[in-house]
Amino acid sequence: MKQTLELPEWTFLSNHGHVLIQLSMNPDSRVRDIAETVGITERSTLSILSDLERGGFISVERVGRRNTYRVNPNKNFRHPNEARKPIGALMKIFLQ
């Protein structure tokens, strides 16, 4: 019998942050896989990917029929309180 994972009511990272971390760990992830891992719809995932690409946080390269994502670790956080820190500092926590 498959166990149902109960999601917490809130987390410290936004869905944008979760997608970014997923891409840094698995740059060849499919949208379907990202959505499932983060716990959001594929449509929301596509919207977040678009936001991240427009903001310069990721670049997308088409390889055959799949996309490969590259996270820009030198891009600074958006919130004024963290704007002097690069997102690469966050990625290091999850890539250890």
Side-chain angles (χ1 to χ4, degrees), residues 18-54:
H18 289 291
V19 169
L20 197 62
I21 290 166
Q22 176 66 20
L23 294 177
S24 69
M25 294 190 305
N26 300 294
D28 297 326
S29 293
R30 297 178 303 167
V31 171
R32 176 182 305 153
D33 299 329
I34 298 166
E36 186 176 309
T37 300
V38 174
I40 58 177
T41 65
E42 289 181 39
R43 187 174 187 159
S44 292
T45 302
L46 287 168
S47 177
I48 290 170
L49 289 170
S50 179
D51 289 346
L52 293 173
E53 185 177 20
R54 256 193 330 273

PDB file of all heavy atoms in Angstrom, residues 18-54:
ATOM      1  N   HIS A  18      11.936  26.182  -4.511  1.00  0.00           N
ATOM      2  CA  HIS A  18      11.946  24.724  -4.648  1.00  0.00           C
ATOM      3  C   HIS A  18      12.285  24.302  -6.079  1.00  0.00           C
ATOM      4  O   HIS A  18      13.057  23.363  -6.288  1.00  0.00           O
ATOM      5  CB  HIS A  18      10.608  24.128  -4.232  1.00  0.00           C
ATOM      6  CG  HIS A  18      10.355  24.180  -2.757  1.00  0.00           C
ATOM      7  ND1 HIS A  18      11.049  23.426  -1.849  1.00  0.00           N
ATOM      8  CD2 HIS A  18       9.482  24.919  -2.034  1.00  0.00           C
ATOM      9  CE1 HIS A  18      10.612  23.676  -0.631  1.00  0.00           C
ATOM     10  NE2 HIS A  18       9.662  24.594  -0.718  1.00  0.00           N
ATOM     11  N   VAL A  19      11.711  24.988  -7.046  1.00  0.00           N
ATOM     12  CA  VAL A  19      12.006  24.678  -8.450  1.00  0.00           C
ATOM     13  C   VAL A  19      13.476  24.946  -8.733  1.00  0.00           C
ATOM     14  O   VAL A  19      14.162  24.133  -9.374  1.00  0.00           O
ATOM     15  CB  VAL A  19      11.094  25.473  -9.419  1.00  0.00           C
ATOM     16  CG1 VAL A  19      11.575  25.360 -10.855  1.00  0.00           C
ATOM     17  CG2 VAL A  19       9.652  24.998  -9.290  1.00  0.00           C
ATOM     18  N   LEU A  20      13.997  26.052  -8.266  1.00  0.00           N
ATOM     19  CA  LEU A  20      15.397  26.404  -8.481  1.00  0.00           C
ATOM     20  C   LEU A  20      16.324  25.335  -7.903  1.00  0.00           C
ATOM     21  O   LEU A  20      17.291  24.908  -8.547  1.00  0.00           O
ATOM     22  CB  LEU A  20      15.677  27.762  -7.850  1.00  0.00           C
ATOM     23  CG  LEU A  20      16.919  28.489  -8.284  1.00  0.00           C
ATOM     24  CD1 LEU A  20      16.880  28.807  -9.768  1.00  0.00           C
ATOM     25  CD2 LEU A  20      17.064  29.777  -7.487  1.00  0.00           C
ATOM     26  N   ILE A  21      16.026  24.875  -6.708  1.00  0.00           N
ATOM     27  CA  ILE A  21      16.845  23.830  -6.086  1.00  0.00           C
ATOM     28  C   ILE A  21      16.746  22.533  -6.877  1.00  0.00           C
ATOM     29  O   ILE A  21      17.751  21.859  -7.119  1.00  0.00           O
ATOM     30  CB  ILE A  21      16.435  23.628  -4.620  1.00  0.00           C
ATOM     31  CG1 ILE A  21      16.864  24.845  -3.810  1.00  0.00           C
ATOM     32  CG2 ILE A  21      17.031  22.349  -4.038  1.00  0.00           C
ATOM     33  CD1 ILE A  21      16.251  24.934  -2.442  1.00  0.00           C
ATOM     34  N   GLN A  22      15.553  22.183  -7.305  1.00  0.00           N
ATOM     35  CA  GLN A  22      15.375  20.967  -8.108  1.00  0.00           C
ATOM     36  C   GLN A  22      16.206  21.041  -9.387  1.00  0.00           C
ATOM     37  O   GLN A  22      16.857  20.072  -9.773  1.00  0.00           O
ATOM     38  CB  GLN A  22      13.884  20.769  -8.433  1.00  0.00           C
ATOM     39  CG  GLN A  22      13.587  19.602  -9.326  1.00  0.00           C
ATOM     40  CD  GLN A  22      13.902  18.256  -8.704  1.00  0.00           C
ATOM     41  OE1 GLN A  22      14.007  18.132  -7.489  1.00  0.00           O
ATOM     42  NE2 GLN A  22      14.069  17.248  -9.515  1.00  0.00           N
ATOM     43  N   LEU A  23      16.213  22.207 -10.030  1.00  0.00           N
ATOM     44  CA  LEU A  23      16.987  22.369 -11.263  1.00  0.00           C
ATOM     45  C   LEU A  23      18.486  22.297 -10.995  1.00  0.00           C
ATOM     46  O   LEU A  23      19.238  21.769 -11.810  1.00  0.00           O
ATOM     47  CB  LEU A  23      16.648  23.694 -11.942  1.00  0.00           C
ATOM     48  CG  LEU A  23      15.236  23.824 -12.487  1.00  0.00           C
ATOM     49  CD1 LEU A  23      15.034  25.211 -13.068  1.00  0.00           C
ATOM     50  CD2 LEU A  23      14.944  22.752 -13.514  1.00  0.00           C
ATOM     51  N   SER A  24      18.920  22.822  -9.867  1.00  0.00           N
ATOM     52  CA  SER A  24      20.351  22.787  -9.558  1.00  0.00           C
ATOM     53  C   SER A  24      20.806  21.355  -9.291  1.00  0.00           C
ATOM     54  O   SER A  24      21.931  20.990  -9.603  1.00  0.00           O
ATOM     55  CB  SER A  24      20.689  23.692  -8.383  1.00  0.00           C
ATOM     56  OG  SER A  24      20.161  23.198  -7.183  1.00  0.00           O
ATOM     57  N   MET A  25      19.928  20.523  -8.748  1.00  0.00           N
ATOM     58  CA  MET A  25      20.282  19.134  -8.464  1.00  0.00           C
ATOM     59  C   MET A  25      20.075  18.224  -9.669  1.00  0.00           C
ATOM     60  O   MET A  25      20.779  17.230  -9.822  1.00  0.00           O
ATOM     61  CB  MET A  25      19.464  18.618  -7.275  1.00  0.00           C
ATOM     62  CG  MET A  25      19.818  19.323  -5.980  1.00  0.00           C
ATOM     63  SD  MET A  25      19.099  18.587  -4.488  1.00  0.00           S
ATOM     64  CE  MET A  25      17.367  18.560  -4.845  1.00  0.00           C
ATOM     65  N   ASN A  26      19.114  18.577 -10.518  1.00  0.00           N
ATOM     66  CA  ASN A  26      18.762  17.742 -11.677  1.00  0.00           C
ATOM     67  C   ASN A  26      18.474  18.626 -12.881  1.00  0.00           C
ATOM     68  O   ASN A  26      17.317  18.878 -13.210  1.00  0.00           O
ATOM     69  CB  ASN A  26      17.523  16.892 -11.358  1.00  0.00           C
ATOM     70  CG  ASN A  26      17.752  15.972 -10.195  1.00  0.00           C
ATOM     71  OD1 ASN A  26      18.554  15.071 -10.266  1.00  0.00           O
ATOM     72  ND2 ASN A  26      17.049  16.225  -9.102  1.00  0.00           N
ATOM     73  N   PRO A  27      19.520  19.115 -13.559  1.00  0.00           N
ATOM     74  CA  PRO A  27      19.321  20.073 -14.655  1.00  0.00           C
ATOM     75  C   PRO A  27      18.587  19.507 -15.877  1.00  0.00           C
ATOM     76  O   PRO A  27      18.096  20.271 -16.700  1.00  0.00           O
ATOM     77  CB  PRO A  27      20.741  20.501 -15.025  1.00  0.00           C
ATOM     78  CG  PRO A  27      21.643  19.495 -14.421  1.00  0.00           C
ATOM     79  CD  PRO A  27      20.921  18.874 -13.278  1.00  0.00           C
ATOM     80  N   ASP A  28      18.475  18.190 -15.954  1.00  0.00           N
ATOM     81  CA  ASP A  28      17.772  17.579 -17.088  1.00  0.00           C
ATOM     82  C   ASP A  28      16.350  17.155 -16.737  1.00  0.00           C
ATOM     83  O   ASP A  28      15.722  16.402 -17.472  1.00  0.00           O
ATOM     84  CB  ASP A  28      18.552  16.354 -17.585  1.00  0.00           C
ATOM     85  CG  ASP A  28      19.922  16.726 -18.119  1.00  0.00           C
ATOM     86  OD1 ASP A  28      20.057  17.819 -18.702  1.00  0.00           O
ATOM     87  OD2 ASP A  28      20.861  15.930 -17.948  1.00  0.00           O
ATOM     88  N   SER A  29      15.837  17.653 -15.615  1.00  0.00           N
ATOM     89  CA  SER A  29      14.496  17.280 -15.162  1.00  0.00           C
ATOM     90  C   SER A  29      13.440  17.666 -16.173  1.00  0.00           C
ATOM     91  O   SER A  29      13.516  18.723 -16.800  1.00  0.00           O
ATOM     92  CB  SER A  29      14.166  17.972 -13.837  1.00  0.00           C
ATOM     93  OG  SER A  29      14.955  17.507 -12.799  1.00  0.00           O
ATOM     94  N   ARG A  30      12.430  16.813 -16.289  1.00  0.00           N
ATOM     95  CA  ARG A  30      11.255  17.149 -17.098  1.00  0.00           C
ATOM     96  C   ARG A  30      10.304  17.988 -16.252  1.00  0.00           C
ATOM     97  O   ARG A  30      10.304  17.894 -15.020  1.00  0.00           O
ATOM     98  CB  ARG A  30      10.525  15.883 -17.548  1.00  0.00           C
ATOM     99  CG  ARG A  30      11.353  14.987 -18.450  1.00  0.00           C
ATOM    100  CD  ARG A  30      10.613  13.740 -18.818  1.00  0.00           C
ATOM    101  NE  ARG A  30      10.222  13.031 -17.584  1.00  0.00           N
ATOM    102  CZ  ARG A  30       9.350  12.035 -17.545  1.00  0.00           C
ATOM    103  NH1 ARG A  30       8.757  11.619 -18.645  1.00  0.00           N
ATOM    104  NH2 ARG A  30       9.053  11.443 -16.408  1.00  0.00           N
ATOM    105  N   VAL A  31       9.502  18.794 -16.900  1.00  0.00           N
ATOM    106  CA  VAL A  31       8.527  19.634 -16.196  1.00  0.00           C
ATOM    107  C   VAL A  31       7.656  18.767 -15.296  1.00  0.00           C
ATOM    108  O   VAL A  31       7.392  19.113 -14.144  1.00  0.00           O
ATOM    109  CB  VAL A  31       7.670  20.453 -17.192  1.00  0.00           C
ATOM    110  CG1 VAL A  31       6.522  21.141 -16.484  1.00  0.00           C
ATOM    111  CG2 VAL A  31       8.537  21.464 -17.921  1.00  0.00           C
ATOM    112  N   ARG A  32       7.242  17.629 -15.791  1.00  0.00           N
ATOM    113  CA  ARG A  32       6.402  16.710 -15.019  1.00  0.00           C
ATOM    114  C   ARG A  32       7.102  16.277 -13.728  1.00  0.00           C
ATOM    115  O   ARG A  32       6.505  16.230 -12.665  1.00  0.00           O
ATOM    116  CB  ARG A  32       6.078  15.478 -15.860  1.00  0.00           C
ATOM    117  CG  ARG A  32       5.286  14.420 -15.121  1.00  0.00           C
ATOM    118  CD  ARG A  32       5.030  13.216 -15.980  1.00  0.00           C
ATOM    119  NE  ARG A  32       4.387  13.630 -17.217  1.00  0.00           N
ATOM    120  CZ  ARG A  32       4.481  12.975 -18.365  1.00  0.00           C
ATOM    121  NH1 ARG A  32       5.182  11.875 -18.443  1.00  0.00           N
ATOM    122  NH2 ARG A  32       3.867  13.409 -19.440  1.00  0.00           N
ATOM    123  N   ASP A  33       8.398  15.986 -13.827  1.00  0.00           N
ATOM    124  CA  ASP A  33       9.158  15.548 -12.658  1.00  0.00           C
ATOM    125  C   ASP A  33       9.354  16.680 -11.650  1.00  0.00           C
ATOM    126  O   ASP A  33       9.273  16.464 -10.442  1.00  0.00           O
ATOM    127  CB  ASP A  33      10.525  14.997 -13.082  1.00  0.00           C
ATOM    128  CG  ASP A  33      10.396  13.791 -13.995  1.00  0.00           C
ATOM    129  OD1 ASP A  33       9.413  13.035 -13.857  1.00  0.00           O
ATOM    130  OD2 ASP A  33      11.278  13.607 -14.856  1.00  0.00           O
ATOM    131  N   ILE A  34       9.622  17.874 -12.173  1.00  0.00           N
ATOM    132  CA  ILE A  34       9.774  19.043 -11.291  1.00  0.00           C
ATOM    133  C   ILE A  34       8.475  19.282 -10.537  1.00  0.00           C
ATOM    134  O   ILE A  34       8.472  19.462  -9.314  1.00  0.00           O
ATOM    135  CB  ILE A  34      10.178  20.294 -12.094  1.00  0.00           C
ATOM    136  CG1 ILE A  34      11.532  20.098 -12.772  1.00  0.00           C
ATOM    137  CG2 ILE A  34      10.203  21.529 -11.191  1.00  0.00           C
ATOM    138  CD1 ILE A  34      11.843  21.138 -13.832  1.00  0.00           C
ATOM    139  N   ALA A  35       7.367  19.281 -11.255  1.00  0.00           N
ATOM    140  CA  ALA A  35       6.055  19.525 -10.646  1.00  0.00           C
ATOM    141  C   ALA A  35       5.762  18.505  -9.555  1.00  0.00           C
ATOM    142  O   ALA A  35       5.326  18.865  -8.453  1.00  0.00           O
ATOM    143  CB  ALA A  35       4.971  19.489 -11.719  1.00  0.00           C
ATOM    144  N   GLU A  36       6.026  17.253  -9.838  1.00  0.00           N
ATOM    145  CA  GLU A  36       5.757  16.195  -8.869  1.00  0.00           C
ATOM    146  C   GLU A  36       6.636  16.344  -7.629  1.00  0.00           C
ATOM    147  O   GLU A  36       6.165  16.220  -6.503  1.00  0.00           O
ATOM    148  CB  GLU A  36       5.984  14.829  -9.510  1.00  0.00           C
ATOM    149  CG  GLU A  36       5.590  13.674  -8.624  1.00  0.00           C
ATOM    150  CD  GLU A  36       5.740  12.348  -9.334  1.00  0.00           C
ATOM    151  OE1 GLU A  36       5.216  12.203 -10.459  1.00  0.00           O
ATOM    152  OE2 GLU A  36       6.388  11.459  -8.763  1.00  0.00           O
ATOM    153  N   THR A  37       7.910  16.633  -7.833  1.00  0.00           N
ATOM    154  CA  THR A  37       8.841  16.784  -6.711  1.00  0.00           C
ATOM    155  C   THR A  37       8.471  17.965  -5.827  1.00  0.00           C
ATOM    156  O   THR A  37       8.506  17.874  -4.605  1.00  0.00           O
ATOM    157  CB  THR A  37      10.282  16.952  -7.226  1.00  0.00           C
ATOM    158  OG1 THR A  37      10.630  15.793  -7.990  1.00  0.00           O
ATOM    159  CG2 THR A  37      11.271  17.104  -6.094  1.00  0.00           C
ATOM    160  N   VAL A  38       8.115  19.080  -6.452  1.00  0.00           N
ATOM    161  CA  VAL A  38       7.794  20.297  -5.700  1.00  0.00           C
ATOM    162  C   VAL A  38       6.382  20.224  -5.098  1.00  0.00           C
ATOM    163  O   VAL A  38       6.109  20.823  -4.074  1.00  0.00           O
ATOM    164  CB  VAL A  38       7.965  21.546  -6.598  1.00  0.00           C
ATOM    165  CG1 VAL A  38       7.498  22.809  -5.897  1.00  0.00           C
ATOM    166  CG2 VAL A  38       9.415  21.682  -7.028  1.00  0.00           C
ATOM    167  N   GLY A  39       5.498  19.459  -5.751  1.00  0.00           N
ATOM    168  CA  GLY A  39       4.127  19.342  -5.262  1.00  0.00           C
ATOM    169  C   GLY A  39       3.199  20.388  -5.831  1.00  0.00           C
ATOM    170  O   GLY A  39       2.280  20.858  -5.146  1.00  0.00           O
ATOM    171  N   ILE A  40       3.459  20.782  -7.086  1.00  0.00           N
ATOM    172  CA  ILE A  40       2.622  21.780  -7.768  1.00  0.00           C
ATOM    173  C   ILE A  40       2.224  21.226  -9.128  1.00  0.00           C
ATOM    174  O   ILE A  40       2.705  20.177  -9.547  1.00  0.00           O
ATOM    175  CB  ILE A  40       3.363  23.133  -7.920  1.00  0.00           C
ATOM    176  CG1 ILE A  40       4.678  22.961  -8.703  1.00  0.00           C
ATOM    177  CG2 ILE A  40       3.630  23.745  -6.542  1.00  0.00           C
ATOM    178  CD1 ILE A  40       5.437  24.255  -8.953  1.00  0.00           C
ATOM    179  N   THR A  41       1.362  21.950  -9.825  1.00  0.00           N
ATOM    180  CA  THR A  41       0.922  21.505 -11.138  1.00  0.00           C
ATOM    181  C   THR A  41       1.997  21.777 -12.197  1.00  0.00           C
ATOM    182  O   THR A  41       2.884  22.613 -11.989  1.00  0.00           O
ATOM    183  CB  THR A  41      -0.370  22.229 -11.571  1.00  0.00           C
ATOM    184  OG1 THR A  41      -0.079  23.625 -11.723  1.00  0.00           O
ATOM    185  CG2 THR A  41      -1.486  22.023 -10.549  1.00  0.00           C
ATOM    186  N   GLU A  42       1.883  21.086 -13.307  1.00  0.00           N
ATOM    187  CA  GLU A  42       2.802  21.334 -14.421  1.00  0.00           C
ATOM    188  C   GLU A  42       2.627  22.759 -14.933  1.00  0.00           C
ATOM    189  O   GLU A  42       3.606  23.405 -15.311  1.00  0.00           O
ATOM    190  CB  GLU A  42       2.569  20.318 -15.539  1.00  0.00           C
ATOM    191  CG  GLU A  42       3.033  18.929 -15.174  1.00  0.00           C
ATOM    192  CD  GLU A  42       2.839  17.924 -16.290  1.00  0.00           C
ATOM    193  OE1 GLU A  42       3.048  18.279 -17.472  1.00  0.00           O
ATOM    194  OE2 GLU A  42       2.484  16.769 -15.975  1.00  0.00           O
ATOM    195  N   ARG A  43       1.421  23.251 -14.938  1.00  0.00           N
ATOM    196  CA  ARG A  43       1.161  24.614 -15.403  1.00  0.00           C
ATOM    197  C   ARG A  43       1.871  25.635 -14.506  1.00  0.00           C
ATOM    198  O   ARG A  43       2.477  26.583 -14.991  1.00  0.00           O
ATOM    199  CB  ARG A  43      -0.338  24.865 -15.427  1.00  0.00           C
ATOM    200  CG  ARG A  43      -0.712  26.174 -16.045  1.00  0.00           C
ATOM    201  CD  ARG A  43      -2.198  26.290 -16.158  1.00  0.00           C
ATOM    202  NE  ARG A  43      -2.517  27.477 -16.908  1.00  0.00           N
ATOM    203  CZ  ARG A  43      -3.656  27.678 -17.514  1.00  0.00           C
ATOM    204  NH1 ARG A  43      -4.589  26.757 -17.476  1.00  0.00           N
ATOM    205  NH2 ARG A  43      -3.889  28.784 -18.152  1.00  0.00           N
ATOM    206  N   SER A  44       1.795  25.434 -13.194  1.00  0.00           N
ATOM    207  CA  SER A  44       2.504  26.325 -12.263  1.00  0.00           C
ATOM    208  C   SER A  44       4.006  26.222 -12.462  1.00  0.00           C
ATOM    209  O   SER A  44       4.717  27.227 -12.403  1.00  0.00           O
ATOM    210  CB  SER A  44       2.163  25.963 -10.813  1.00  0.00           C
ATOM    211  OG  SER A  44       0.828  26.255 -10.529  1.00  0.00           O
ATOM    212  N   THR A  45       4.475  25.018 -12.700  1.00  0.00           N
ATOM    213  CA  THR A  45       5.907  24.808 -12.936  1.00  0.00           C
ATOM    214  C   THR A  45       6.363  25.569 -14.167  1.00  0.00           C
ATOM    215  O   THR A  45       7.403  26.237 -14.143  1.00  0.00           O
ATOM    216  CB  THR A  45       6.220  23.305 -13.081  1.00  0.00           C
ATOM    217  OG1 THR A  45       5.790  22.628 -11.902  1.00  0.00           O
ATOM    218  CG2 THR A  45       7.701  23.071 -13.302  1.00  0.00           C
ATOM    219  N   LEU A  46       5.596  25.497 -15.246  1.00  0.00           N
ATOM    220  CA  LEU A  46       5.944  26.224 -16.472  1.00  0.00           C
ATOM    221  C   LEU A  46       5.987  27.732 -16.224  1.00  0.00           C
ATOM    222  O   LEU A  46       6.871  28.423 -16.732  1.00  0.00           O
ATOM    223  CB  LEU A  46       4.954  25.892 -17.586  1.00  0.00           C
ATOM    224  CG  LEU A  46       5.094  24.503 -18.189  1.00  0.00           C
ATOM    225  CD1 LEU A  46       3.886  24.178 -19.072  1.00  0.00           C
ATOM    226  CD2 LEU A  46       6.392  24.395 -18.977  1.00  0.00           C
ATOM    227  N   SER A  47       5.048  28.227 -15.443  1.00  0.00           N
ATOM    228  CA  SER A  47       5.018  29.652 -15.116  1.00  0.00           C
ATOM    229  C   SER A  47       6.252  30.051 -14.307  1.00  0.00           C
ATOM    230  O   SER A  47       6.880  31.085 -14.574  1.00  0.00           O
ATOM    231  CB  SER A  47       3.741  29.971 -14.337  1.00  0.00           C
ATOM    232  OG  SER A  47       3.720  31.311 -13.947  1.00  0.00           O
ATOM    233  N   ILE A  48       6.622  29.227 -13.343  1.00  0.00           N
ATOM    234  CA  ILE A  48       7.803  29.503 -12.521  1.00  0.00           C
ATOM    235  C   ILE A  48       9.065  29.437 -13.365  1.00  0.00           C
ATOM    236  O   ILE A  48       9.946  30.298 -13.245  1.00  0.00           O
ATOM    237  CB  ILE A  48       7.868  28.535 -11.326  1.00  0.00           C
ATOM    238  CG1 ILE A  48       6.758  28.875 -10.336  1.00  0.00           C
ATOM    239  CG2 ILE A  48       9.240  28.574 -10.657  1.00  0.00           C
ATOM    240  CD1 ILE A  48       6.570  27.847  -9.230  1.00  0.00           C
ATOM    241  N   LEU A  49       9.171  28.446 -14.238  1.00  0.00           N
ATOM    242  CA  LEU A  49      10.340  28.342 -15.125  1.00  0.00           C
ATOM    243  C   LEU A  49      10.466  29.587 -15.987  1.00  0.00           C
ATOM    244  O   LEU A  49      11.566  30.110 -16.189  1.00  0.00           O
ATOM    245  CB  LEU A  49      10.252  27.088 -15.993  1.00  0.00           C
ATOM    246  CG  LEU A  49      10.446  25.764 -15.268  1.00  0.00           C
ATOM    247  CD1 LEU A  49      10.085  24.598 -16.185  1.00  0.00           C
ATOM    248  CD2 LEU A  49      11.867  25.632 -14.750  1.00  0.00           C
ATOM    249  N   SER A  50       9.335  30.081 -16.470  1.00  0.00           N
ATOM    250  CA  SER A  50       9.330  31.303 -17.274  1.00  0.00           C
ATOM    251  C   SER A  50       9.802  32.495 -16.443  1.00  0.00           C
ATOM    252  O   SER A  50      10.619  33.300 -16.908  1.00  0.00           O
ATOM    253  CB  SER A  50       7.918  31.544 -17.814  1.00  0.00           C
ATOM    254  OG  SER A  50       7.871  32.723 -18.561  1.00  0.00           O
ATOM    255  N   ASP A  51       9.302  32.617 -15.216  1.00  0.00           N
ATOM    256  CA  ASP A  51       9.733  33.699 -14.314  1.00  0.00           C
ATOM    257  C   ASP A  51      11.243  33.634 -14.075  1.00  0.00           C
ATOM    258  O   ASP A  51      11.936  34.651 -14.131  1.00  0.00           O
ATOM    259  CB  ASP A  51       9.037  33.594 -12.950  1.00  0.00           C
ATOM    260  CG  ASP A  51       7.565  33.943 -12.970  1.00  0.00           C
ATOM    261  OD1 ASP A  51       7.093  34.525 -13.975  1.00  0.00           O
ATOM    262  OD2 ASP A  51       6.883  33.622 -11.975  1.00  0.00           O
ATOM    263  N   LEU A  52      11.735  32.441 -13.771  1.00  0.00           N
ATOM    264  CA  LEU A  52      13.161  32.276 -13.466  1.00  0.00           C
ATOM    265  C   LEU A  52      14.039  32.587 -14.676  1.00  0.00           C
ATOM    266  O   LEU A  52      15.093  33.201 -14.542  1.00  0.00           O
ATOM    267  CB  LEU A  52      13.437  30.856 -12.960  1.00  0.00           C
ATOM    268  CG  LEU A  52      12.829  30.509 -11.591  1.00  0.00           C
ATOM    269  CD1 LEU A  52      13.017  29.017 -11.286  1.00  0.00           C
ATOM    270  CD2 LEU A  52      13.422  31.375 -10.495  1.00  0.00           C
ATOM    271  N   GLU A  53      13.573  32.193 -15.854  1.00  0.00           N
ATOM    272  CA  GLU A  53      14.347  32.475 -17.074  1.00  0.00           C
ATOM    273  C   GLU A  53      14.330  33.974 -17.377  1.00  0.00           C
ATOM    274  O   GLU A  53      15.371  34.571 -17.660  1.00  0.00           O
ATOM    275  CB  GLU A  53      13.799  31.686 -18.255  1.00  0.00           C
ATOM    276  CG  GLU A  53      14.633  31.853 -19.501  1.00  0.00           C
ATOM    277  CD  GLU A  53      14.140  31.016 -20.663  1.00  0.00           C
ATOM    278  OE1 GLU A  53      12.971  30.580 -20.668  1.00  0.00           O
ATOM    279  OE2 GLU A  53      14.941  30.811 -21.601  1.00  0.00           O
ATOM    280  N   ARG A  54      13.153  34.595 -17.299  1.00  0.00           N
ATOM    281  CA  ARG A  54      13.048  36.040 -17.542  1.00  0.00           C
ATOM    282  C   ARG A  54      13.898  36.837 -16.562  1.00  0.00           C
ATOM    283  O   ARG A  54      14.470  37.857 -16.912  1.00  0.00           O
ATOM    284  CB  ARG A  54      11.583  36.488 -17.431  1.00  0.00           C
ATOM    285  CG  ARG A  54      10.911  36.757 -18.727  1.00  0.00           C
ATOM    286  CD  ARG A  54       9.585  37.482 -18.603  1.00  0.00           C
ATOM    287  NE  ARG A  54       8.822  37.253 -17.398  1.00  0.00           N
ATOM    288  CZ  ARG A  54       7.951  36.265 -17.206  1.00  0.00           C
ATOM    289  NH1 ARG A  54       7.738  35.391 -18.157  1.00  0.00           N
ATOM    290  NH2 ARG A  54       7.291  36.147 -16.074  1.00  0.00           N
TER     291      ARG A  54
END
